[in-house]
Each structure stands twice: as C-alpha cells, then as structure tokens.
Amino acid sequence: MYAQDPTAGCYMYYFQYLTKTYCVDATNETGRLGRLINHSKNGNCQTKLHDINGIPHLILVASRDIEKNEELLYDYGDRSKASLEAHPWLKH
C-alpha cells in the first residue's frame, strides 16, 4: 500500500529472525527515534539483530567513525520494483 503512494512515504524495514520474516513499519510517527534516520545505500550506520530473551531487537551501530554534526544514515534495504518506482530516492 505505502509503496504505491508517493505522498504517504514508505519506511519499511524487513529482517529475518529464526524462521520468520519481520517488518518494522516506521512510516507513521512514533516515539522511536530510529525512524528519523534517513536512507543511504552507503550509510554510516548499519542494523544489527540481537536476541534478548528470545525477542528480536534491531539496533543501529556506526559502521565507521562519525563526525560531529554528521547526518546518521543507513540502508533501508527496500529494493522492490513498486517502492523504487514510487520512491526513487531509495536507489541512492
């Protein structure tokens, strides 16, 4: 639904944990600050999956030293045709 509406935005992050695929939907406003980090295929952060008491948790870690006032960026990983057509910025 989001992928086909360029006015809504599309901020989905898919990951696998054990035998299931999960999706974090950061399209709508919440109190979680990770949703405010922008996309870049060559970002300075990356996601890491950690199991805490059998529950998957995603954390962002720096992939290199980050300068003061530098924007935090990570790869959202969405390469679906519909998303790329509606949100060409995902290509970069």
Side-chain angles (χ1 to χ4, degrees):
M1 178 176 75
Y2 296 139
Q4 297 176 10
D5 183 358
T7 63
C10 183
Y11 309 100
M12 310 290 276
Y13 186 85
Y14 295 89
F15 67 96
Q16 290 196 336
Y17 174 70
L18 301 176
T19 60
K20 294 184 179 180
T21 299
Y22 291 83
C23 176
V24 175
D25 182 353
T27 304
N28 295 319
E29 292 283 341
T30 69
R32 297 178 183 219
L33 298 178
R35 74 172 298 281
L36 301 176
I37 298 176
N38 287 323
H39 165 80
S40 172
K41 286 172 84 173
N42 301 307
N44 51 20
C45 295
Q46 57 186 322
T47 56
K48 295 286 183 182
L49 178 63
H50 284 271
D51 179 309
I52 301 174
N53 298 323
I55 300 171
H57 288 75
L58 288 175
I59 62 169
L60 289 168
V61 296
S63 54
R64 61 171 175 76
D65 288 341
I66 298 173
E67 300 293 323
K68 182 179 178 180
N69 296 321
E70 183 179 354
E71 181 178 17
L72 300 178
L73 302 164
Y74 76 103
D75 186 352
Y76 291 178
D78 190 352
R79 304 291 189 272
S80 71
K81 183 178 178 182
S83 290
L84 292 176
E85 285 176 0
H87 310 288
W89 51 264
L90 284 170
K91 297 175 188 175
H92 308 286

